[in-house]
Amino acid sequence: GGVINIITKRGSGTPTAFASIEGGSYETFIEKAGSSGAVGNADYSLALSREDSASISAAANSAGNSEPDGYHNTSGSAKLGYTTALADFDLSGRIHNTNADIDNSGGAGQDDPNRHLNTNQYSLRAAASSSALISALEQTASVSFAETSYDDNNDPDDAHPLDRLRSQFTGSMLKFDLLNTYSIDKDQRLVLGIETEKERGDSDYASDGEFGPFNTTFAKKDAR
């Protein structure tokens, strides 16, 4: 098991910008652009990227499949900060959208020209930090929200005239936290925090094919 903690770096110094473009096999192109810096008490960091690829068939070519399964990805991040004599404020967000062409499986006749998987993710976090009460004590309060959704759609086509699929999932998380960090000396810190988190999700799956219709629904549920 493991945890990936992605933190958008704060901007600093004179504002700068960058842009790049890459190209490769399978008609793959990646474009990136961004800017970061600081102006007075405010700072910012912005980034945007796009990836497109014609890709290859997800179903094995050796089994007679050849229809390419494209992939498209758009991602962006932003972080805005402001510093005063009493507190430090920042607002950060991320968005992520993918569209992928997929196949039914890897065997013979499993190419599917109109099956698509779409995924959307976004998150937003606002935080404030201060050491105004005691210089050795840093207090940080934050609220964050994240949502993920995907849908897997497949309509009948010439190769699969009986197949139809509609599948979707939506999940979200809302969290509040307060963190107190007390520096006892240069080598020791005491950390005390509290947080509350609420998760919510629901899904629906419906298909129809040679084995008949099938449907399963998980109504919206909460967990705190």
Side-chain angles (χ1 to χ4, degrees), residues 26 53-59 61 66-70 101 103:
Y26 308 111
S53 177
S55 193
I56 60 176
S57 179
N61 288 337
S66 60
E67 178 254 334
D69 295 297
D101 298 332
D103 290 324

Side-chain angles (χ1 to χ4, degrees), residues 11-17 35-40 44:
S12 61
T14 303
T16 60
S35 179
S36 64
V39 179
Y44 72 96

Side-chain angles (χ1 to χ4, degrees), residues 8-210:
T8 302
K9 187 177 180 180
R10 293 188 67 159
S12 61
T14 303
T16 60
F18 73 89
S20 68
I21 183 169
E22 306 171 40
S25 303
Y26 308 111
E27 300 177 33
T28 300
F29 293 94
I30 302 175
E31 302 87 21
K32 298 179 181 179
S35 179
S36 64
V39 179
N41 293 338
D43 60 81
Y44 72 96
S45 177
L46 309 171
L48 184 66
S49 67
R50 171 73 179 185
E51 178 179 351
D52 296 279
S53 177
S55 193
I56 60 176
S57 179
N61 288 337
S62 59
N65 304 292
S66 60
E67 178 254 334
D69 295 297
Y71 175 76
H72 313 279
N73 179 326
T74 301
S75 299
S77 65
K79 189 162 191 174
L80 308 175
Y82 192 81
T83 302
T84 70
L86 297 178
D88 189 35
F89 304 92
D90 73 73
L91 177 68
S92 58
R94 297 181 66 86
I95 60 170
H96 183 75
N97 169 268
T98 62
N99 177 274
D101 298 332
I102 57 179
D103 290 324
N104 292 333
S105 67
Q110 295 304 309
D111 261 343
D112 199 314
N114 62 351
R115 185 175 180 182
H116 307 283
L117 178 65
N118 302 302
T119 303
N120 292 284
Q121 298 174 310
Y122 69 88
S123 61
L124 187 67
R125 179 179 184 268
S129 301
S130 177
S131 299
L133 297 178
I134 304 174
S135 61
L137 175 64
E138 182 182 52
Q139 295 181 297
T140 301
S142 72
V143 56
S144 57
F145 179 79
E147 183 173 281
T148 298
S149 64
Y150 77 78
D151 57 83
D152 180 0
N153 294 323
N154 185 20
D155 289 322
D157 56 73
D158 292 340
H160 311 89
L162 301 178
D163 293 348
R164 185 178 186 276
L165 172 67
R166 287 291 184 272
S167 177
Q168 67 84 27
F169 165 81
T170 302
S172 64
M173 180 183 70
L174 176 65
K175 184 172 75 169
F176 300 89
D177 63 70
L178 176 64
L179 185 66
N180 301 274
T181 304
Y182 183 76
S183 298
I184 301 173
D185 54 39
K186 66 182 184 67
D187 297 318
Q188 299 179 84
R189 292 184 302 165
L190 177 64
V191 179
L192 177 65
I194 184 172
E195 72 176 34
T196 178
E197 179 178 293
K198 183 177 183 179
E199 293 182 275
R200 171 175 290 177
D202 65 86
S203 68
D204 186 72
Y205 180 94
S207 65
D208 197 0
E210 59 181 320

